[in-house]
Amino acid sequence: MIVLGIETSCDETAVAIVEDDLVRSNLITAQIDVHSRFGGVVPELASREHLRAINRAIAQSTEHALISMRDIEAIAVTIGPGLIGALLVGVAAAKSLAMVLDVPLIGVNHLEGHVESAFIDRKDLAPPVIALIVSGGHTMIAEMPEHGRFDILGQTIDDAAGEAFDKIARFLGLPFPGGPEIDRLARKGNANAVRFPRAMMGDDSFDFSLSGLKTAVIRWIRERQAAGEDFDPADVAASFQEAVVDVQVAKTLRAAEERGRKTIILAGGVAANSRLRERMSEEAAERGIDVVVPPPRLCTDNGAMIAAAGLRRLARGESTSLDVAPDANLSLA
Amino acid sequence: MLVLGIETSTNVSSVALGSEQGIVASTSLSRGKGHAEFLIPAVKFLCEESEVALSQLAGIAVGVGPGLFTGMRVGVATAKTIAQALGVPLVGIASLDLLAFEIRYTPKLICACIDARRGEVFCAFYRQVPGGVQRVSDYVAWPPQRLAAEIEARVEEVLFIGNGALLYKERLPKLRTEYAAFSRAFPQASALVELALPRFFREETDSLYELEPLYIRKADAQIAWEERGVVIQRPGRVKTRKREGER
Ligand SMILES: [Zn+2]
């Protein structure tokens, strides 16, 4: 079965062709240049860029997959959560394709897409799993007892991990997006140089809070600057990153143990963080838990994960009506 | 030649199907379902009821605003992708032109004027020419007092059309002005099809990859950046993200 997947929930215009378990094409048009000077994603500009890019992305996705549009058997599209104006462009395009090609439309939750990205080309892998979804817009621990069913165990009560990375990166004079920059700089620094707070580390919830940490890091830098003291930005980056990773690893492992699950999926753009992958893998291994991290092209927002999630839903006999509207706050569970 | 027209630059979603023989079917909606929900089911409905197969469509026309950003984008994305999937040409026409075209029989100066929200209107001026109208100004986003001053300065008879003119009637000059009925207050896809047909025949079509809405206004963040060097912060986590306002 050949599915075309469209993802436009934030700042990547992404279209992919997935045939059963095979990603035949996976096009991602990033908008970093448009948003970088603002230090974050500007919704109106993102929507404009999606509209500019979407039809070329559709054309290229079929070209790269060596198929014609008539070969497409279903259209999957992100219907939320995300920026409403951005979602609307992808949904409008997806509905148009589904109508003209006369194939089913499947609306997909963006977060479900991230989790399903781990199952692409992994026939050995099956639910139940615990997923840590970390990205510019999300920080969440969810349990997936079976495909398509989710229990949200915890999520951030303020900032998403990616947002915190962007903010601290800006403070350290690093370019947008901040995640990869902090990761790179932190490798040269001492993670124990500064002991930043680990919010909600001790409580028994699976929720996160990152705004206190963000404030603590910024205050620490300002105090050093005011006192005229030198500090190594690499140490700050490493210590900040360590505080984020500590909490995420501890909570995810505790979720897996409490629920008796043996597989953890690390998904979302921040799953590409090398320290998070390293620490999670090491500490999970000590407990006999497997950690699965999709390859980078499937971690960042992409159409293949949406197509893959759509395929699962279609296989269960689900499809979406052509009058569906996207939902900026669509819940996973 | 059968053409599908899609016009969504205002609150009204409007879809029409027509050829050089006339309008085959049309429908429009101004409350309840939004453009994104209404558009595709409306196209399907028109085609089914008029017994037109999508494969019979030879061109897609779309109103490109100026108007509400989100509405324009839904219309343009839909029109482009239908054209792409069918492999047929695409024509984009300014939505204000549609309004002026509807009252082309007047010797007066025509002002097409729609509500741009935020206390402004999108407007343009037109004059009658054989077979239609010709635009004699730029498309602009003006507060009503600016439009009023422009009208005063022109000292001639003006015929207004569009919901923007009706909304700000009290603030526009009373002398030498007249207003088209509110049944014509919004751009309609039937006029779009009629205006687009000659463009298809002349093969003056638009590129699938280059056609854009007429935004006229820049994004707020861009304006802030260019004028004051102010950076607008990244929106909060998704839960607290405000819906992007129509503008
Ligand atoms: Zn994402």
Side-chain angles (χ1 to χ4, degrees), chain A residues 110 114 135 138 301 305:
Chain A
H110 178 78
H114 273 306
S135 71
H138 316 279
D301 289 351
M305 71 184 195

PDB file of all heavy atoms in Angstrom, chain A residues 110 114 135 138 301 305, ligand 1:
ATOM      1  N   HIS A 110       0.165  14.544  15.263  1.00  0.00           N
ATOM      2  CA  HIS A 110       1.601  14.756  15.064  1.00  0.00           C
ATOM      3  C   HIS A 110       2.448  13.922  16.033  1.00  0.00           C
ATOM      4  O   HIS A 110       3.472  13.354  15.651  1.00  0.00           O
ATOM      5  CB  HIS A 110       1.887  16.246  15.246  1.00  0.00           C
ATOM      6  CG  HIS A 110       3.314  16.622  15.121  1.00  0.00           C
ATOM      7  ND1 HIS A 110       3.944  16.749  13.905  1.00  0.00           N
ATOM      8  CD2 HIS A 110       4.263  16.891  16.061  1.00  0.00           C
ATOM      9  CE1 HIS A 110       5.214  17.084  14.093  1.00  0.00           C
ATOM     10  NE2 HIS A 110       5.435  17.186  15.394  1.00  0.00           N
ATOM     11  N   HIS A 114       5.341  10.927  15.573  1.00  0.00           N
ATOM     12  CA  HIS A 114       6.690  10.820  16.147  1.00  0.00           C
ATOM     13  C   HIS A 114       6.919   9.425  16.737  1.00  0.00           C
ATOM     14  O   HIS A 114       7.987   8.829  16.545  1.00  0.00           O
ATOM     15  CB  HIS A 114       6.896  11.874  17.230  1.00  0.00           C
ATOM     16  CG  HIS A 114       7.379  13.197  16.691  1.00  0.00           C
ATOM     17  ND1 HIS A 114       8.505  13.307  15.894  1.00  0.00           N
ATOM     18  CD2 HIS A 114       6.905  14.461  16.845  1.00  0.00           C
ATOM     19  CE1 HIS A 114       8.687  14.582  15.572  1.00  0.00           C
ATOM     20  NE2 HIS A 114       7.729  15.299  16.138  1.00  0.00           N
ATOM     21  N   SER A 135      10.648  17.824  21.685  1.00  0.00           N
ATOM     22  CA  SER A 135      10.895  18.630  20.487  1.00  0.00           C
ATOM     23  C   SER A 135      10.724  20.096  20.823  1.00  0.00           C
ATOM     24  O   SER A 135      10.556  20.454  21.983  1.00  0.00           O
ATOM     25  CB  SER A 135       9.903  18.232  19.392  1.00  0.00           C
ATOM     26  OG  SER A 135       8.621  18.696  19.747  1.00  0.00           O
ATOM     27  N   HIS A 138       7.103  20.154  22.193  1.00  0.00           N
ATOM     28  CA  HIS A 138       6.567  19.143  23.101  1.00  0.00           C
ATOM     29  C   HIS A 138       7.622  18.543  24.018  1.00  0.00           C
ATOM     30  O   HIS A 138       8.771  18.395  23.637  1.00  0.00           O
ATOM     31  CB  HIS A 138       5.953  17.993  22.300  1.00  0.00           C
ATOM     32  CG  HIS A 138       5.113  18.475  21.170  1.00  0.00           C
ATOM     33  ND1 HIS A 138       3.827  18.894  21.345  1.00  0.00           N
ATOM     34  CD2 HIS A 138       5.410  18.670  19.870  1.00  0.00           C
ATOM     35  CE1 HIS A 138       3.352  19.314  20.189  1.00  0.00           C
ATOM     36  NE2 HIS A 138       4.293  19.191  19.273  1.00  0.00           N
ATOM     37  N   ASP A 301      10.681  16.671  12.380  1.00  0.00           N
ATOM     38  CA  ASP A 301       9.348  16.595  11.779  1.00  0.00           C
ATOM     39  C   ASP A 301       9.461  16.150  10.319  1.00  0.00           C
ATOM     40  O   ASP A 301      10.243  16.719   9.560  1.00  0.00           O
ATOM     41  CB  ASP A 301       8.648  17.958  11.852  1.00  0.00           C
ATOM     42  CG  ASP A 301       8.248  18.301  13.273  1.00  0.00           C
ATOM     43  OD1 ASP A 301       8.349  17.419  14.154  1.00  0.00           O
ATOM     44  OD2 ASP A 301       7.842  19.454  13.506  1.00  0.00           O
ATOM     45  N   MET A 305       6.767   9.768   8.941  1.00  0.00           N
ATOM     46  CA  MET A 305       6.161   9.329  10.208  1.00  0.00           C
ATOM     47  C   MET A 305       4.637   9.481  10.157  1.00  0.00           C
ATOM     48  O   MET A 305       3.903   8.686  10.741  1.00  0.00           O
ATOM     49  CB  MET A 305       6.756  10.114  11.386  1.00  0.00           C
ATOM     50  CG  MET A 305       6.345  11.574  11.482  1.00  0.00           C
ATOM     51  SD  MET A 305       7.207  12.404  12.850  1.00  0.00           S
ATOM     52  CE  MET A 305       6.218  13.900  13.009  1.00  0.00           C
TER      53      MET A 305
HETATM   54 ZN    ZN C   1       7.383  17.337  16.031  1.00  0.00          ZN
END
